[in-house]
Amino acid sequence: MSLASASSSLLRSCARQQVPAARAALASCQQQRGVADASSKATFASPFDNSTTKIPNFGKYASSKSPRSNQVFSYFVAGAMGLGSAVGAKATVQDFLVNMSASADVLAQAKVEIALDSIPEGKNVIIKWRGKPVFIRHRTSGEIDEARATNWESLRDPQSDEDRVQKPEWLVMLGVCTHLGCVPIGEAGDFGGWFCPCHGSHYDISGRIRKGPAPLNLEVPAYNFPTEETLVIG
Ligand code: FES
């Protein structure tokens, strides 16, 4: 017998001897799988009849308390979170509004009160209001007549003197040139009112532009007379 045929017959006899052992091992595996299947069926429970879907059984996590007590707890948590969110939103909005509102020094400048008896007739006073100069002129009767005698319809920015003052003797306007924002000089210029030296604008005794590059009359701010002797600007 050759060496090759001897080895082949040896392998065949070994394989024949191993078959029963392999069958026994397979049977054992199948048995174990059956046990596992049975235990997994115990772990997975489907609430639906004939369902092939395996749904994990979360029974061990289920609350042991009554449904009413669980509802009370859920409502309490939801309510507390809602309340906390509302308080946070209110604080945020409040902080935002406080930051955006005018500071105390700005509010203090919002209105300025002037005692008129301190301004003699024929004199100018310049005060600061909201960071800008304001001209207050106590006009004489001659100045009032001059302002009202002007043919205002032909002016560059047509406006009657009556529309620019509340009381004829008190002229109140912003001291900011309407050309490029310089502060005009009082009692100067070709029309006896104000003159802006920056580029040569002339305003009359009513603050209307009469000559030079400025396009508009001097602006009249909001003001009123709470008493006969008091002027409030703003
Ligand atoms: S800024 Fe007054 S004339 Fe130019």
Side-chain angles (χ1 to χ4, degrees):
M1 179 181 294
S2 69
L3 182 59
S5 62
S7 349
S8 147
S9 57
L10 180 62
L11 284 172
R12 269 199 296 275
S13 80
C14 284
R16 268 198 298 276
Q17 285 173 1
Q18 292 300 320
V19 167
R23 281 185 182 149
L26 180 62
S28 163
C29 280
Q30 283 176 338
Q31 233 176 5
Q32 284 174 5
R33 191 173 164 193
V35 170
D37 283 351
S39 68
S40 69
K41 273 178 188 164
T43 316
F44 292 82
S46 171
F48 309 108
D49 291 339
N50 304 321
S51 173
T52 56
T53 305
K54 289 186 176 179
I55 299 173
N57 185 353
F58 296 108
K60 68 177 179 178
Y61 300 109
S63 171
S64 57
K65 297 176 184 167
S66 69
R68 174 59 66 189
S69 113
N70 289 334
Q71 282 175 343
V72 168
F73 178 73
S74 300
Y75 295 155
F76 172 75
V77 170
M81 288 182 68
L83 188 65
S85 304
V87 170
K90 177 192 171 274
T92 304
V93 171
Q94 193 170 15
D95 287 352
F96 177 76
L97 292 177
V98 167
N99 278 334
M100 294 300 289
S101 60
S103 56
D105 60 329
V106 172
L107 286 175
Q109 287 187 340
K111 287 180 184 286
V112 176
E113 186 173 310
I114 299 109
L116 294 176
D117 54 5
S118 62
I119 307 174
E121 192 178 71
K123 293 292 178 188
N124 283 338
V125 163
I126 303 176
I127 61 150
K128 190 177 169 189
W129 173 69
R130 295 183 184 173
K132 295 177 183 172
V134 175
F135 296 159
I136 304 168
R137 172 84 182 175
H138 190 173
R139 297 193 299 189
T140 63
S141 57
E143 290 169 346
I144 297 168
D145 292 343
E146 182 187 334
R148 303 208 162 180
T150 303
N151 180 17
W152 59 270
E153 281 120 331
S154 64
L155 300 181
R156 183 180 302 165
D157 183 12
Q159 197 174 24
S160 68
D161 184 66
E162 288 86 343
D163 286 348
R164 292 180 55 79
V165 294
Q166 294 182 22
K167 290 185 177 181
E169 65 273 32
W170 293 109
L171 175 64
V172 182
M173 52 194 186
L174 294 184
V176 179
C177 179
T178 57
H179 180 222
L180 291 176
C182 288
V183 178
I185 300 166
E187 298 176 359
D190 293 353
F191 298 88
W194 286 262
F195 172 67
C196 181
C198 293
H199 309 95
S201 289
H202 298 251
Y203 299 90
D204 66 12
I205 196 61
S206 188
R208 295 172 294 202
I209 181 64
R210 301 292 292 272
K211 187 174 162 189
L216 299 171
N217 303 333
L218 292 177
E219 185 182 344
V220 176
Y223 68 92
N224 61 74
F225 298 95
T227 67
E228 276 300 309
E229 293 303 319
T230 311
L231 166 67
V232 172
I233 301 173

